Amino acid sequence: MKIFVKVMVYVFLFVCKTASFGQTIYKSNLPSSNCYNEFIFDEKVKNAKGIIVLESGGQDIKSFATSNRFFQSNLFSDYNFLFINILHSGTVSSTDCIDVAIRSVANTYSINLAAFYLIIPEPLNGLSIQRPQNIEYKFNVIQTVDSNIKSFKELLDRSTAGVPYYVIKSEESLYDRFEIRMANYKKNMDIGLYYAPIFLTGNKLSLDYSAFGTYGLSLKKNVGHRHAIKLNIGGALKKPDQSVIQSSIQSKMMSAIQNDEDSIYIDESLSGHVNLGAELSYRYSFNSHKAFRPYLGIGIGINSMTIMSGRIQDTIDVSDIDMSNPSSIQDKIGSPDEGGGNIVNSTKEYLTPMVDMGFEYRMSPGVKFNASIPFRYFVDRSKTSDNTFSFGLNFSLMFTMNPGRLPKLKKSK
């Protein structure tokens, strides 16, 4: 029954306030209801050591707020005060009514209930404090009559040490958690895959074509929110494709037979490459917490390029080919694995200074998409003056291993 009455008190609680001489008097509940009371919350300190709670015992609350010995001592400037006058307790105890007033203030200002200290007069020698160890009352109770005010201050200071004034959030909402992780970049460790087509100019690394695609693994470590170090390791492979030459030869055979020619001359080139490289770069992002972050990067890399090349030169007699027998055509062409000229491999080493401009977009706390335009200059270390300028594109999908631990719990005001 007692719990039911207290619940009803909270449900029907309303607050009306009257301003007088700089003090605000709050009245709770209807005059005929349980815990009809008035109180003054004197908040001089935003993050005080605690709140001293005093019950006026029927005295005029405005006079009591300024005439009580704790307030008049001027020793408690680092504490706030809550003065309560119970006008009608109804069927509940006065302590329950005090609890109602304390919870009203605590809920309104997000103040920790353990920061409230109710002082009650008891015929005891010395000082005694009761911690909020039961589930009914979460505030502290200090018993004192005429104890030395300085001794009381020392007891209160010891009791409030380490007790947070404001409510500490024990768990952020899912939205808050998501936002914190989305805005965090400091010390992020990212790993991902990239695809980067490279477009060559000038000497083209002695290749017969002006573009090729590279694939690889990216590792990125943020030093701060804006600064990061990135390592790319990857390469490219293009085998000489003899099947393309076979298709060309077959096409020439058919054309020669249709034109009643007895032979065809073949002069075809084969080319391919194996590229291996690593690149270390520094990146500066132009904002520190947003999901979309443009950046500028500079770096240096090393590349090994092995070029595979060959040439087929031959005259093929097509006079004895039987068009009704496909195998005779195949016999003339041969298998893709047979012959085709000698393949020659040549390897060169390059240093590659690089400038990179692009953006990073955080799709979720653990996933980032990166797109950029890198400019590289391949410096030939083999002294064959095969230097080459290139530009390209870089697309990568990065996965953040530590998208953000929640910060230490902070006081919520």
Side-chain angles (χ1 to χ4, degrees):
M1 183 64 181
K2 179 180 178 182
I3 296 177
F4 175 76
V5 172
K6 289 185 68 175
V7 171
M8 294 302 294
V9 169
Y10 294 133
V11 171
F12 291 104
L13 177 65
F14 75 95
V15 177
C16 1
K17 59 182 180 179
T18 308
S20 174
F21 304 108
Q23 293 178 325
T24 302
I25 300 175
Y26 296 88
K27 289 188 177 180
S28 299
N29 304 318
L30 296 170
S32 59
S33 65
N34 290 318
C35 289
Y36 176 51
N37 62 71
E38 58 185 4
F39 60 86
I40 295 174
F41 179 44
D42 187 12
E43 185 187 29
K44 289 186 172 65
V45 185
K46 286 295 182 182
N47 194 357
K49 289 185 176 180
I51 297 175
I52 297 173
V53 183
L54 296 169
E55 206 273 312
S56 69
Q59 297 183 46
D60 177 74
I61 193 169
K62 289 185 293 184
S63 300
F64 178 76
T66 55
S67 62
N68 68 87
R69 68 191 185 104
F70 300 100
F71 186 82
Q72 286 187 330
S73 68
N74 294 321
L75 293 175
F76 302 94
S77 59
D78 46 0
Y79 288 83
N80 292 326
F81 283 86
L82 176 60
F83 305 106
I84 303 172
N85 184 24
I86 300 173
L87 303 173
H88 177 67
S89 61
T91 59
V92 298
S93 68
S94 60
T95 308
D96 285 341
C97 295
I98 292 173
D99 186 47
V100 169
I102 288 176
R103 287 180 180 272
S104 299
V105 174
N107 291 335
T108 301
Y109 295 90
S110 297
I111 299 173
N112 183 11
L113 285 171
F116 289 82
Y117 294 83
L118 171 65
I119 301 173
I120 60 174
E122 290 289 339
L124 298 173
N125 293 325
L127 295 169
S128 173
I129 183 169
Q130 177 186 340
R131 292 290 187 182
Q133 297 178 346
N134 59 68
I135 61 173
E136 286 191 63
Y137 307 120
K138 300 300 181 183
F139 54 83
N140 304 276
V141 176
I142 298 179
Q143 298 170 332
T144 179
V145 181
D146 293 318
S147 300
N148 181 279
I149 196 74
K150 291 184 178 180
S151 299
F152 174 81
K153 177 67 162 61
E154 292 173 359
L155 170 69
L156 194 59
D157 286 344
R158 289 195 301 270
S159 301
T160 59
V163 178
Y165 183 73
Y166 289 104
V167 173
I168 293 181
K169 293 181 179 180
S170 58
E171 183 177 353
E172 282 77 4
S173 68
L174 290 177
Y175 176 79
D176 290 339
R177 233 182 131 84
F178 180 85
E179 288 299 305
I180 290 172
R181 287 156 65 90
M182 283 291 286
N184 175 66
Y185 290 93
K186 189 176 182 181
K187 297 184 179 179
N188 275 187
M189 172 66 78
D190 300 337
I191 183 170
L193 300 173
Y194 72 84
Y195 169 66
I198 295 176
F199 304 96
L200 305 172
T201 65
N203 293 325
K204 300 180 183 179
L205 305 177
S206 295
L207 294 173
D208 293 335
Y209 34 88
S210 59
F212 63 93
T214 62
Y215 303 82
L217 178 70
S218 291
L219 297 172
K220 182 166 73 71
K221 181 71 172 70
N222 275 69
V223 180
H225 285 289
R226 294 192 179 195
H227 307 276
I229 302 297
K230 187 175 183 181
L231 175 65
N232 284 347
I233 302 174
L237 172 63
K238 180 181 181 297
K239 292 182 178 180
D241 190 355
Q242 297 188 39
S243 64
V244 174
I245 295 179
Q246 279 192 313
S247 177
S248 174
I249 294 174
Q250 184 173 353
S251 176
K252 288 181 179 180
M253 281 183 175
M254 299 298 293
S255 177
I257 293 171
Q258 290 175 358
N259 294 326
D260 294 327
E261 297 177 4
D262 294 331
S263 63
I264 59 172
Y265 178 71
I266 303 300
D267 186 359
E268 300 284 347
S269 296
L270 292 169
S271 63
H273 66 268
V274 176
N275 174 257
L276 296 173
E279 190 170 70
L280 185 66
S281 61
Y282 162 77
R283 175 185 294 185
Y284 176 79
S285 298
F286 291 100
N287 66 67
S288 58
H289 295 91
K290 295 180 180 179
F292 181 82
R293 303 188 342 138
Y295 68 82
L296 177 66
I298 57 172
I300 186 74
I302 55 173
N303 264 266
S304 173
M305 177 67 79
T306 298
I307 300 175
M308 299 175 285
S309 61
R311 189 174 182 183
I312 299 176
Q313 290 179 307
D314 197 6
T315 300
I316 300 177
D317 183 8
V318 297
S319 61
D320 58 348
I321 292 179
D322 183 1
M323 294 296 294
S324 62
N325 183 10
S327 62
S328 64
I329 300 176
Q330 185 63 48
D331 291 340
K332 288 290 184 178
I333 297 174
S335 159
D337 299 325
E338 295 176 357
N342 296 323
I343 301 298
V344 179
N345 296 337
S346 63
T347 300
K348 295 182 180 182
E349 306 290 336
Y350 298 89
L351 282 178
T352 54
M354 181 271 296
V355 175
D356 192 24
M357 297 180 294
F359 70 88
E360 178 182 76
Y361 179 70
R362 193 162 209 160
M363 303 165 64
S364 73
V367 181
K368 300 171 186 171
F369 172 75
N370 183 97
S372 67
I373 301 176
F375 298 90
R376 295 181 181 88
Y377 189 70
F378 288 79
V379 181
D380 187 2
R381 298 181 62 195
S382 60
K383 299 180 180 180
T384 57
S385 299
D386 198 18
N387 299 340
T388 299
F389 175 77
S390 75
F391 61 95
L393 298 172
N394 186 298
F395 304 100
S396 63
L397 194 63
M398 306 292 292
F399 301 92
T400 304
M401 301 295 101
N402 54 339
R405 296 178 181 176
L406 290 177
K408 292 183 179 180
L409 297 177
K410 296 181 179 180
K411 296 173 182 178
S412 174
K413 299 184 181 180

